Amino acid sequence: MIGVILAGGKSNRFGEEKLLYNVNGKALITYTIERLLKSKAIEEVVIITLEERKDKFKDLGVRILIDKLEIGPIGGVYTALVKLGDVFIAAGDMPNINPKFVNYIIKEFHKFRPMACVPLWANGYLEPLHAAYSEEFLLVLENQIKKEEYMLGKAIKTASTHYIQIDSLPFEWRESFFNVNTKRDLKKFKGASRE
């Protein structure tokens, strides 16, 4: 499966270009790329970003696709499915992605063949930017986009989705969901395990 990193956000809370921020000698997004490529189930990593941001990522050694919709994550997922077929989606600011967890989600996706395979917390909170999506999910997205409803969570709830119960998984896999919103968050990342 192709791993897709969504990199369209404006980094407002971070105060500068978050995904290219230098952390221990590498751009933050590089950790996300490397972690995804460590997954046995990921054959290639592709970045999806906006037209005006594409040059920022051109030196990272991965293919870049343009999200022309510019309506947030739902537009990035839509672009990925149109151009690439089935995909694993991650956010660019998730440097602790656990390759074993990615393998597990993709294995579940192939086993159940749902429109979406999404981790779910016990309180009902979804992790839509650490999930696998089928090309068939496009129909649901198109429907919502036509209605100008841009919440990815709503699309997931109306699709035939296979939910992965986070509470029943190895505790250390939860580090996968850690994302960097502010510079303070970087302190938590620097102390995180690298394997």
Side-chain angles (χ1 to χ4, degrees):
M1 189 178 273
I2 292 178
V4 169
I5 297 175
L6 300 188
K10 302 278 193 291
S11 310
N12 292 338
R13 280 187 281 172
F14 197 79
E16 60 183 285
E17 181 52 69
K18 169 171 67 174
L19 299 182
L20 296 176
Y21 191 79
N22 188 315
V23 182
N24 298 335
K26 291 195 273 205
L28 181 65
I29 195 172
T30 306
Y31 291 95
T32 312
I33 294 168
E34 288 172 353
R35 286 299 192 97
L36 278 178
L37 286 172
K38 275 187 184 173
S39 161
K40 293 182 180 78
I42 298 290
E43 61 197 65
E44 181 193 3
V45 170
V46 173
I47 289 174
I48 292 188
T49 191
L50 309 180
E51 180 69 45
E52 73 266 15
R53 292 168 59 83
K54 71 175 182 200
D55 289 346
K56 295 180 185 225
F57 303 113
K58 69 180 188 306
D59 297 331
L60 294 172
V62 298
R63 193 158 39 126
I64 297 169
L65 297 175
I66 305 303
D67 166 10
K68 295 192 170 116
L69 296 177
E70 300 193 19
I71 51 173
I74 198 170
V77 175
Y78 178 86
T79 303
L81 294 175
V82 166
K83 301 200 173 179
L84 304 168
D86 299 351
V87 289
F88 180 87
I89 296 279
D93 62 358
M94 296 172 91
N96 285 345
I97 284 178
N98 186 309
K100 287 180 186 158
F101 191 8
V102 175
N103 292 342
Y104 178 79
I105 291 172
I106 293 171
K107 191 171 143 207
E108 291 285 289
F109 176 83
H110 288 310
K111 182 172 158 189
F112 294 100
R113 294 302 309 166
M115 285 185 180
C117 191
V118 183
L120 174 73
W121 291 94
N123 64 4
Y125 185 81
L126 298 170
E127 294 286 355
L129 301 186
H130 191 289
Y133 296 93
S134 150
E135 205 172 347
E136 292 160 42
F137 188 52
L138 269 174
L139 298 170
V140 179
L141 293 182
E142 277 168 5
N143 233 350
Q144 273 208 207
I145 290 166
K146 271 184 204 144
K147 292 190 237 167
E148 297 185 3
E149 292 173 358
Y150 303 137
M151 297 302 292
L152 188 52
K154 186 172 181 185
I156 289 164
K157 286 173 186 158
T158 58
S160 69
T161 299
H162 173 66
Y163 295 104
I164 292 173
Q165 305 295 330
I166 294 165
D167 290 345
S168 65
L169 300 172
F171 187 80
E172 64 272 16
W173 286 8
R174 295 181 186 194
E175 71 175 11
S176 243
F177 303 126
F178 168 72
N179 70 314
V180 175
N181 288 314
T182 65
K183 287 184 179 147
R184 263 198 317 258
D185 293 335
L186 288 171
K187 290 187 183 113
K188 294 178 214 160
F189 167 54
K190 285 175 184 170
S193 76
R194 291 284 197 264
E195 284 313 310

